[in-house]
Amino acid sequence: MRFSEAHHRQVVATSTATKLGRVEGFVVAPGPARVIALRLGGTPGGNSLVSYGDLKAFGTDAVTVHDESPLRPPLDDEEKRRAGKDHDILGKPALLETGELVGTVEDVEFDPADGTVRAVVTSSVELPGAALVGVGSYAAVFTAGD
Amino acid sequence: MIARSSSVLLRAGELPGRPVVTLGGERVAEVKDVVFDIDAGRVEGFTLNNPGLFSRSRHDALPWPAVHALGPDAVMIADESAFVAADSLAPKRERRSGNVLADQVLTDTGTELGTVVDVVLEVRGGEAEVIGYEIVAGENLPNAGRPVLIPVPAALAVSGEKLIVPASATEFVSDDLAGFGAAVADFRAKLEGSPTR
């Protein structure tokens, strides 16, 4: 599944059959590369983060949770920084650890079962998820590999 | 620094303004100036500006051993612990890339070759070595008034504002970086007395 497909997908609480919001952003962490949380929009009460592990499922038509209890604010300043819109991996320059720019991140292929990032699609090349070293406000950094 | 077998040639003048980026993807500074150890013929490190249009000097600096990689688009560091106080970057004799512009190049036989406008670096195997100068050729060279590249030996002699090169360097003057690496290798081989390619 790709971030581009899943963007704006509705998030539904199965216990009440209500829509809680929609997917606005994906919080990606390296080591190993994976989606650790979703940033939601349109949520009641303003709590906008859900840890990936708290999801019931990431389906093709909806993301499901049991109820709205997993919705939360950032745990600390660190998470607030990492989960902010300016850290979104989409649109970031893709920089190799050699200091060479290879393109712009255009999409991410991930496994909806657990959030594992399989590949990062840039404007020039596709990089394996395992190559991701860091995602910051300036760039997504990758190992150069062979 | 990550190991690279290939070598990269660049002009030191390209480096001011280059982003300094952590492996975590944050741009924490920009290169302000390149600090050379002229006697050792290598880069000692970089002074820094804060990133952005109205960037200001920082009071810290990036020593060469803390550089993870020097690439065409960024100087990479592991994280901000790479930085040191700017005055701790103090090699025995230093030339900043700004000052180098005033130096004249003189051969050891007393011929003035021209005025330095830039320094050519080779980055290979974790070292950033000064391998040549870009000079505006003086009257004693064929391309008078034009910029040319001149190789320098590994051990550089500096006397006041003048950089001294062996007279044989004039045989290996290049127009551009593309062939310059080979010219430097041939020049140094000749200095050592081994046969050139």
Side-chain angles (χ1 to χ4, degrees):
Chain A
M1 191 181 288
R2 294 209 163 184
F3 283 8
S4 57
E5 305 164 43
H7 193 227
H8 288 155
R9 190 156 297 163
Q10 57 178 343
V11 180
V12 174
T14 56
S15 58
T16 52
T18 51
K19 178 177 168 181
L20 297 180
R22 63 187 175 275
V23 177
E24 285 297 329
F26 302 85
V27 184
V28 174
R34 67 210 184 281
V35 182
I36 54 170
L38 302 178
R39 194 175 69 250
L40 307 190
T43 53
N47 285 336
S48 59
L49 289 185
V50 181
S51 299
Y52 206 92
D54 289 337
L55 303 179
K56 283 189 69 171
F58 202 121
T60 48
D61 299 305
V63 178
T64 56
V65 288
H66 179 68
D67 55 36
E68 69 176 32
S69 62
L71 267 64
R72 57 183 182 72
L75 295 170
D76 51 26
D77 281 345
E78 166 74 17
E79 191 180 46
K80 188 172 182 185
R81 206 176 46 82
R82 275 201 308 167
K85 260 189 237 176
D86 64 346
H87 273 66
D88 269 353
I89 195 174
L90 295 183
K92 284 280 176 286
L95 191 58
L96 298 183
E97 64 170 325
T98 53
E100 182 188 350
L101 218 52
V102 294
T104 305
V105 177
E106 291 182 343
D107 212 345
V108 173
E109 176 76 33
F110 72 108
D111 182 346
D114 59 5
T116 301
V117 169
R118 296 243 168 272
V120 177
V121 182
T122 77
S123 45
S124 65
V125 293
E126 190 172 295
L127 298 166
L132 183 67
V133 170
V135 186
S137 59
Y138 180 76
V141 181
F142 299 87
T143 54
D146 280 322
Chain B
M1 173 168 275
I2 54 172
R4 307 213 50 206
S5 53
S6 57
S7 80
V8 175
L9 265 55
L10 68 146
R11 291 177 173 80
E14 298 171 32
L15 293 175
R18 188 157 301 179
V20 178
V21 184
T22 65
L23 294 179
E26 299 296 332
R27 181 181 56 162
V28 293
E30 289 177 356
V31 172
K32 178 176 177 229
D33 223 351
V34 183
V35 182
F36 304 102
D37 181 338
I38 282 295
D39 288 337
R42 62 166 182 243
V43 172
E44 240 353 80
F46 305 102
T47 56
L48 304 169
N49 280 331
N50 281 317
L53 268 184
F54 300 105
S55 54
R56 303 267 170 144
S57 291
R58 294 169 62 116
H59 297 297
D60 48 10
L62 176 58
W64 179 256
V67 171
H68 181 80
L70 173 54
D73 304 298
V75 179
M76 304 299 292
I77 58 174
D79 54 47
E80 284 184 82
S81 68
F83 295 156
V84 299
D87 52 18
S88 71
L89 203 68
K92 200 162 45 153
R93 179 150 55 170
E94 126 189 354
R95 278 284 197 278
R96 302 220 164 194
S97 52
N99 291 345
V100 164
L101 300 184
D103 285 341
Q104 299 284 321
V105 178
L106 188 68
T107 67
D108 54 7
T109 52
T111 305
E112 290 213 348
L113 296 184
T115 309
V116 177
V117 293
D118 212 338
V119 178
V120 182
L121 304 174
E122 181 179 34
V123 183
R124 173 168 51 178
E127 290 297 316
E129 191 190 351
V130 175
I131 60 163
Y133 284 92
E134 183 167 45
I135 67 173
V136 174
E139 290 166 2
N140 294 315
L141 284 179
N143 298 331
R146 309 281 300 276
V148 294
L149 305 176
I150 188 151
V152 294
L156 199 55
V158 184
S159 173
E161 289 294 303
K162 299 208 187 283
L163 301 164
I164 315 293
V165 298
S168 57
T170 57
E171 298 162 37
F172 298 93
V173 166
S174 299
D175 288 326
D176 58 49
L177 279 182
F180 190 56
V184 172
D186 289 346
F187 166 67
R188 292 187 175 188
K190 177 163 182 173
L191 285 183
E192 286 166 27
S194 36
T196 58
R197 285 195 292 281

